[in-house]
Amino acid sequence: MKTHQFFLLPLLFITGFPAADSVSPNETKPKKAKLPQIKENNVLLLKKSNFDRALKETKYLLVEFYVSLSQPSQNQSEESAEAARQLKKEAPRIQFGKIDVTHHDLRKEFNIEFPTVKSFVDSSRGDPIDCKGVRQASAFITWVKRRTGPSTVLINSTDQAEAIINADDLAVIGFKAIHWKTQKAGFCSKTRDVPEMPFRMTASKDIHANYGIQKNTLVVFKKGKPVHNGVLEDGRQNKLDLMRLIKTFTLDLINEYNLETSVKIFDVPVENHILLFTPANSETFSVIYENYKSAAAEFRGKIMFVLVDTNETRNRGFEYFRIREVDVPAMRILNLTSDAKYNMPADEVTVENLKEFCQSYLNGKAKLHVSGEEIPEDWDKMPVKVLVGKNFNRIVFNKIITVFVMFGPWSYDCRKLLPIWDKLGDQYENHKDIIIAKTDVRANNILSIGLEHYPFFRLFLAGPDYQEVAYAGEHTLKAFSEFLEEQSKTKAEPGEKDPSGGIKEDLSQKKTVITEKEQL
């Protein structure tokens, strides 16, 4: 998926000067924060010292929060500058600024994930709007116009409708046959978050008759031809479902995954992705691709169809999905929310096999794909034990020993905590009733209860009822140790908060962790 972008114009700040007698000779004249100076591309260069004043003196202020030397931030800034240039004369009330938050607390205050653009309206600092999914200058201009003016254009004639449909690669028209006045506001609110598409609406009987529309209908046109026709049920559509469906039309049916397209793919709010791993230069590629494309149309808006060229050396799909060259062509479905993976049981990539696989997944009947590492020979030789899919259940759910586990792929954020975790292992090495362990969940497909951001930590308490406690404290040796000591002394009832802030769950009536068949 992709990231976000911005734009806008110069700020005209009016500075007032106090009268000469307003400050006594013995008083120090208060300093005003310096106003942002536009140094390039009509973008205000903001700092923490002038941020509040910029908000107060600007009706609409879009702020890019960036980290210096970040390539995504630089790309976003280029699009922002282009949007600012185009909006300079057209919308002077709208301003764009940028601020480097590499080393100060605005990053935490606004929960910044880079690069990020937030829209501030009427000097309000407390409730900015995230410009999610906005990447290109044209999309940014559409996004801001829809929030400062009407989000859709009203069509009144068939000639106007034909011109609009044939002018743009993509066009969306809401045909409103009944309850127009009550439906208009609801339709407009749904269009605000899809700036990549020009939205229009009409209540004209002539236009309805020309296109054979009799009900409230949303029609998506692509290159002049209707590609989706959906009845609007009196405005009761779920906004996310409608946005999800419409945004899929900003992409092709099949989207090749690479460094350039990845952000755009993940911008579309479809959480289910099916990936075809195959070399694009193989003799069977054209047949496989056509079968893949034929199956994709039926699942638009439900499953995103992605192609991974296994000859592209920059793609790391092999590593993440643990696919070997001898496995290709290979199919996987990935749920972005749970990180769960599913393998197509059939070897042949036919339209029928693809449709059956996708439908079984949507029906909840697809079999979870489980991969895992072999048990290391020295898995229990160090103070911190190494768990994989084949020994996880046997060690964690043993009823006699309490096990404190660090879960994570060994990314940078996880690896920098390993020395602390090793020290915790040293501290409890001689405790026969406590084990400190770690596991790579992505390499072993270990799915515990309630996955969160990596790394995360779980304490599995000894006993017959399999209680699991989520750790939510600081990532320090002292905090880990105090949590473990507290849990060793008390054993709360399932669902009860414990003194150290965790929540205990009774796992005895639930499915345990999903792993490979254990090697005993």
Side-chain angles (χ1 to χ4, degrees), residues 323-341:
I323 292 175
R324 301 167 300 173
E325 289 189 24
V326 296
D327 296 328
V328 298
M331 307 292 309
R332 296 286 188 274
I333 286 181
L334 171 67
N335 182 281
L336 300 183
T337 302
S338 67
D339 204 34
K341 307 174 188 70

Side-chain angles (χ1 to χ4, degrees), residues 351-387:
V351 177
E352 294 74 19
N353 288 341
L354 285 165
K355 288 184 176 181
E356 183 178 352
F357 178 40
C358 291
Q359 195 58 55
S360 67
Y361 168 76
L362 294 175
N363 293 340
K365 297 181 179 179
K367 186 177 180 181
L368 188 72
H369 175 68
V370 178
S371 62
E373 301 170 303
E374 293 299 319
I375 300 176
E377 293 183 2
D378 60 347
W379 73 272
D380 60 347
K381 299 298 188 294
M382 302 298 289
V384 175
K385 313 308 176 188
V386 178
L387 303 182

